[in-house]
């Protein structure tokens, strides 16, 4: 015993030293190695058993339990059965003896270790494992311990990690399911008995006349007075011990509900009991009890009670999240909803003591739940409402006894009394789900449209009005001023990845609100318009009335509003006008298409107002005016002006439809609208105007030129003025973005066919001449570069040259891109105008090959040309371009770009590969002669440089190019004649260029051995596509030399768990490959694969082979693959042998 005692003392001092803040990292590593070696010895557990029973040092206990955990999970197979029996008997005894005195984290760890033994040995060698837990729960002294054991068992056995074989996982789940009814019965009993025991002793005050909680809704919700009465019992006051037991029981239930199927085991009495506890969260009186004596003990009690409510709601939400509801459970579900809506009514009930909002604020306090993030009752309740609307509303709406409209009234109250912005956003999401549900329901049952809308009309109008009020400072100033309108949200990266705009908190608030407004507009257009337009009108009156306050001062114009109160009111009105203009713009899509005629007058009213407002802003130049509070009012005035232009732009499609309806009869009204709009735009196209306003004007000009395309646009003086401004070299150039937009608009005025006119009236000749002179003026300086590009340039001169190249190519690229989808005639004219500039670009390219920023822009331009105008460029010139590029991108140049020039250099190579992607996709024989040099560039020059680099740069583009080469040029490799395939049934084509094909496939195979998951997913998709479209896996060369190599690589990837997110895709691809030759897979590949597996013995290999059933359907096959992978990993884990040698402390 002395040695055990001495070891314990040594271990305690080592542990104390390890965690001491003066111990060096070097020493810590030494101690760690010593402890690890000690743990690996055979028989170390005996020491640990002694340590556990003899020490009070937390570190030592934790270490000892870790040794047991390691023994059970990794070495259990090799432990002699006598030792196992001893461990199974000693650890539970230890737990029983000390569970009250052990720190909770040690106790929980000890429970987990015992459950780990059960996971391995129950029921065969540890038959009383589960009965012991049930006995612990039933004995009042050990109920909490039994509940902790039960929850740990549910966590570890129902969804075990992979250190078990699939057969064992299935056995455990079945064993647990057999116990579910008993367990749920026990938990129901515990919760009911505690509730009943404390209900009797709770002093029940007589209900006062004002606090009657039965409520008019309650009877309709609950259908039975007895249920209503039951839920109206006062909430009992629990002692700390009872509260603790209830919280453990509810945590057990929440975890059990996460994996057991919905069935009659979940009884009505259990559901009712859970709802009783859910009331702990929504009853503020229970929380108030805590502050009666003002002691901290009591406030902790209040927290505990709040936690019971949160835990009960977690149980309810687990049940709610299951979409698959058996018929016999539907009635239970209805009862659950009724009871939850009783709670919702309770939460949102007005009474003298509380406003709804202050009650929700109290309920939104976060409470800590064991080992979880702090959560609030309101968050849980909102989750419940979301699940109800998204998963179950369609199921429940048909029940006549469920009052959906009353539910919406409660949800309305709940939404608009939310204490936080996040809470409000979450509720708006729920309304969006509801509106989507309603829209799709109406689309699928058009006959009932009126009946459905009538049922919900009042609720929707109320929602619309309130959401509109919430975005206005006039009604909601305090809350709106809290919103940040400067910093872009943290989630910038993920938004950028999803292609969404970054937005500030205020923009997000406005956007989400306007989405709800738009969805209501779709359902109730007339109501929505009549609600929104008068509000817009009121704010417009204020804005249009500002003219009378503009006075001329020495330095210009000044707004003569100076009183602080007036400035504040004006600020609020302008902010509201800006929001309402965005709302009106958002609704533009509901005035076009089939409803154009029916809603014509409303839309015309809007557009006339918008045209008037934009002209007014430009004429009295409110954007340049001096104000009393320039830092606030000036941005407001600029924003309103910009938003009015943006709102008008949203009606471009409506204007286009208006044009096509009236162009023959009396277009005066239309001409007047467009001309006035242009008068509003032209003064703003100036480098002196703030960029926000300038860009709004440019975007509107682009929409008029591109979407509306009136024939008279070119002859309007305002447009001619813009032409002169842009082609005048002496005028100051606009900022880049604006310059590009204005040039696009002017080019489109000349290039795009006029709507509603035959080809003969399009005046192409005149327009072509005008376009050529426009492009000539825009590229004058650029074309002059050609003569001196070859000379060496001084640094300043080089920077100037780069600026000219950047400015010209950004404009030209945009012009080409904007007409790439248009008619042949437009593209022909465009290319004629650009031809000289394109030739200049090609001549300049070699001179700038070492300036990767310039090469990047040039290749962007050429890529756009290839995508939009390759037919117009003609074959000879296209060939010349490709040949130039192939000559310039030598092995050395590629290496320099990829390896030494960082991201810009890689971008250059990627764009070059993209151009080649366009070339190899071209149908017909024109570019086929380039295929050999394209493939050789890929495989002999680019691939060797990037193959071994871990960086993903260039790889995705290279493999896409290889995929396009195969996909669009299949016959370059496989010459198949239709006749041959008919005669032989399956064509065994002649194979050509076999070496290149094999090299490409080899590269694909190599890419699956690299860690980049995006590349893996992309390339797997390419192979699957080639198989679907071209039967790749069936081709003789693939089938005989590559098929099982690929299958082997995919299985190894699954075994190594390196690309776990793609498990499903890898399983399907493996099936598609194996299904080409199932006989070969089962008779040759699988035995060879198992034979080559290290870390498993021959007996285990036989078991793995036997368990892989010879199924030939996809679901069974992929299940077999995942079983094989799981069990192979499990056997390897079991076989990790113990290291020899012993270590003494």
């Amino acid at each position: 015993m002395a040695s055990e005692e001495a070891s314990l003392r040594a271990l305690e001092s080592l542990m104390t030293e390890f965690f001491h803040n003066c111990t060096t990292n070097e020493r810590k590593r030494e101690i760690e190695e010593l402890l690890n070696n000690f743990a690996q010895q055979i028989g170390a557990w005996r020491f640990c058993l002694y340590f556990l029973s003899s020490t009070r040092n937390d570190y030592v206990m934790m270490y000892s339990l870790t040794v047991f955990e390691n023994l059970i999970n990794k070495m259990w197979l090799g432990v002699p059965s006598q030792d196992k029996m001893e461990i199974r008997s000693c650890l539970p005894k230890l737990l029983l003896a000390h569970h009250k005195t052990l720190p909770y984290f040690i106790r929980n760890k000890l429970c987990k270790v015992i459950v780990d033994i059960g996971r391995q040995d129950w029921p065969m060698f540890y038959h009383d494992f589960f009965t012991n837990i049930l006995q612990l729960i039933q004995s009042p002294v050990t109920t909490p311990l039994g509940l902790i054991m039960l929850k740990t068992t549910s966590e570890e056995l129902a969804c075990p990690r992979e250190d078990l074989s699939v057969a064992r996982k299935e056995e455990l789940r079945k064993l647990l399911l057999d116990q579910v009814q008993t367990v749920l019965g026990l938990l129901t009993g515990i919760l009911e008995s505690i509730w009943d025991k404390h209900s009797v002793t709770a002093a029940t005050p007589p209900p006062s006349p004002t606090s009657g909680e039965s409520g008019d809704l309650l009877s309709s919700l609950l259908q039975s007075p007895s249920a209503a009465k039951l839920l109206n019992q006062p909430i009992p006051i629990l002692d700390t011990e009872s509260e603790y037991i209830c919280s453990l029981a509810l945590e057990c239930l929440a975890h059990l509900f996460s994996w057991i199927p919905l069935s009659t085991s979940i009884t009505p009495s259990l559901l009712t009991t859970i709802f009783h506890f859910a009331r702990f969260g929504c009853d503020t009186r229970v929380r108030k009890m805590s502050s009666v004596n003002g002691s901290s003990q009591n406030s902790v009690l209040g927290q505990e009670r709040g936690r019971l409510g949160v835990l009960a709601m977690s149980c309810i939400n687990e049940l709610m999240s299951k979409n698959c509801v058996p018929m016999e459970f539907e009635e239970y579900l209805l009862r659950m909803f009724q009871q939850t809506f009783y709670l919702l009514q309770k939460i949102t009930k007005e009474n003298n003591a509380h406003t709804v909002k202050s009650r929700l604020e109290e309920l939104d306090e976060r409470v800590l739940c064991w080992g979880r993030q702090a959560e609030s009752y309101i968050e849980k309740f909102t989750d419940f409402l979301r699940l109800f609307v998204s998963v179950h509303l369609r199921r429940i709406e048909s029940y006549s006894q469920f009052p959906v409209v009353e539910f919406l009234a409660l949800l309305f109250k709940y939404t608009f009394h939310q204490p936080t912005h996040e809470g409000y956003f979450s509720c708006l999401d729920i309304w969006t789900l509801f509106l989507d549900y309603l829209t799709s329901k109406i689309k699928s049952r058009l006959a009932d449209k009126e009946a459905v809308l009538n049922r919900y009309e009042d609720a929707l109008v109320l929602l619309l009005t309130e959401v509109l009020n919430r975005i206005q400072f006039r009604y909601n100033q305090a809350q709106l001023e809290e919103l940040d309108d400067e910093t872009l949200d943290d989630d910038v990266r993920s938004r950028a990845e999803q292609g969404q705009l970054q937005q500030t908190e205020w923009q997000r608030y406005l956007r989400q609100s306007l989405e709800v407004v738009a969805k209501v507009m779709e359902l109730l257009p007339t109501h929505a318009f009549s609600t929104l337009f008068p509000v817009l009108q009121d704010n417009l009156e204020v804005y249009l009335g500002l003219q009378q306050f503009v006075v001329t001062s020495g330095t210009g114009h000044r707004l003569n509003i100076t009183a602080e109160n007036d400035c504040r009111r004006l600020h609020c009105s302008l902010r509201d006008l800006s929001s309402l203009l965005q709302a009106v713009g958002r609704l533009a899509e509901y005035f076009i298409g089939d409803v154009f005629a029916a809603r014509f007058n409303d839309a015309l009213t809007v557009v006339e107002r918008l045209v008037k407002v934009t002209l007014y802003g430009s004429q009295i130049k409110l954007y340049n005016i001096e104000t009393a509070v320039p830092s606030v009012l000036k941005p407001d005035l600029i924003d309103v002006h910009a938003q009015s232009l943006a709102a008008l732009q949203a009606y471009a499609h409506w204007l286009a439809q208006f044009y096509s309806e009236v162009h023959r009869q009396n277009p005066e009204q239309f001409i007047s609208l467009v001309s006035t709009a242009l008068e509003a735009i032209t003064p703003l196209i100036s480098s002196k105007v703030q960029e926000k306003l300038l860009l709004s004007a440019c975007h509107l000009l682009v929409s008029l030129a591109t979407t509306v395309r009136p024939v008279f646009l070119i002859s309007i003086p305002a447009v001619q003025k813009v032409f002169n401004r842009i082609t005048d070299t002496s005028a100051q150039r606009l900022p880049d973005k604006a310059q590009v937009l204005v040039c696009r608009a002017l080019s489109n005025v000349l290039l795009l066919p006029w709507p509603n006119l035959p080809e003969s009236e399009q005046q192409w000749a005149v327009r072509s001449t005008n376009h050529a002179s426009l492009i000539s003026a825009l590229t004058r300086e650029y074309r002059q570069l050609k003569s001196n590009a070859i000379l060496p340039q001084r640094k300043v001169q080089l920077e100037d040259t780069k600026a000219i190249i950047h400015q010209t190519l950004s404009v030209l690229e945009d012009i080409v891109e904007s007409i790439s989808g248009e008619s042949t005639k437009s593209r022909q004219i465009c290319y004629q105008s650009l031809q000289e500039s394109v030739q200049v670009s090609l001549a300049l390219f070699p001179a700038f090959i070492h300036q990767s920023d310039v090469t990047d822009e040039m290749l962007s331009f050429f890529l756009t040309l290839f995508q939009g105008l390759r037919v117009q460029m003609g074959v000879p010139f296209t060939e010349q371009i490709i040949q130039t590029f192939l000559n310039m991108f030598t092995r050395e140049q590629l290496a320099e770009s990829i390896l030494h020039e960082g991201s810009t250099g890689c971008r250059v190579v990627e764009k070059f590969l993209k151009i080649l992607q366009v070339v190899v996709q071209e149908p017909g024989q024109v570019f086929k002669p380039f295929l050999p040099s394209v493939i050789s560039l890929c495989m002999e020059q680019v691939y060797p440089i990037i193959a071994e680099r871990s960086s993903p740069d260039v790889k995705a583009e290279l493999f896409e190019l290889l995929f396009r080469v195969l996909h669009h040029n299949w016959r370059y490799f496989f010459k198949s004649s239709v006749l041959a395939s008919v005669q032989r049934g399956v064509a065994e084509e002649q194979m050509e260029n076999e070496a290149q094909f094999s090299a490409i496939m080899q590269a694909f195979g190599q890419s699956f051995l690299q860690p980049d998951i995006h590349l893996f997913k992309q390339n797997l998709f390419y192979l699957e596509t080639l198989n679907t479209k071209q039967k790749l896996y069936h081709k003789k060369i693939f089938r005989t030399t590559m098929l099982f190599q690929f299958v082997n690589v995919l299985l190894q990837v699954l075994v190594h768990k390196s690309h776990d997110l793609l498990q499903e895709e890898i399983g399907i691809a493996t099936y598609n490959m194996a299904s080409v030759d199932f006989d070969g897979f089962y008779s040759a590949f699988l035995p060879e694969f198992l034979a080559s597996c290290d870390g498993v013995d021959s007996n285990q290999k036989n078991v793995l082979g036997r368990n892989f059933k010879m199924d030939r359907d996809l679901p069974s096959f992929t299940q077999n693959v995942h079983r094989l992978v799981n069990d192979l990993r499990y056997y390897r884990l079991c076989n990790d042998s113990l290291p020899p040698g012993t270590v003494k402390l």
Side-chain angles (χ1 to χ4, degrees), residues 44-56:
W45 65 268
R46 288 190 182 282
F47 281 93
C48 291
L49 204 55
Y50 169 74
F51 298 160
L52 280 171
S53 53
S54 311
T55 187
R56 282 288 151 264

Side-chain angles (χ1 to χ4, degrees), residues 170-183:
E170 288 167 357
E171 181 190 16
L172 281 176
R173 182 165 271 251
K174 190 172 175 308
L175 287 165
L176 281 177
L177 280 171
D178 292 343
Q179 301 290 338
V180 160
Q181 200 148 5
T182 315
V183 166

Side-chain angles (χ1 to χ4, degrees), residues 1-16 38 47-57 60-61 64 1145:
M1 218 45 200
S3 68
E4 284 184 346
E5 178 66 34
S7 294
L8 176 55
R9 296 292 156 256
L11 181 59
E12 285 177 345
S13 74
L14 275 177
M15 282 299 192
T16 311
F38 178 78
F47 281 93
C48 291
L49 204 55
Y50 169 74
F51 298 160
L52 280 171
S53 53
S54 311
T55 187
R56 282 288 151 264
N57 182 313
V60 170
M61 285 194 268
S64 305
L1145 292 168

Side-chain angles (χ1 to χ4, degrees), residues 246-259:
C246 290
S247 67
L248 288 173
L250 289 168
E251 287 197 349
C252 282
L253 282 172
H255 197 274
L256 289 165
F257 289 163
S258 71
W259 61 268

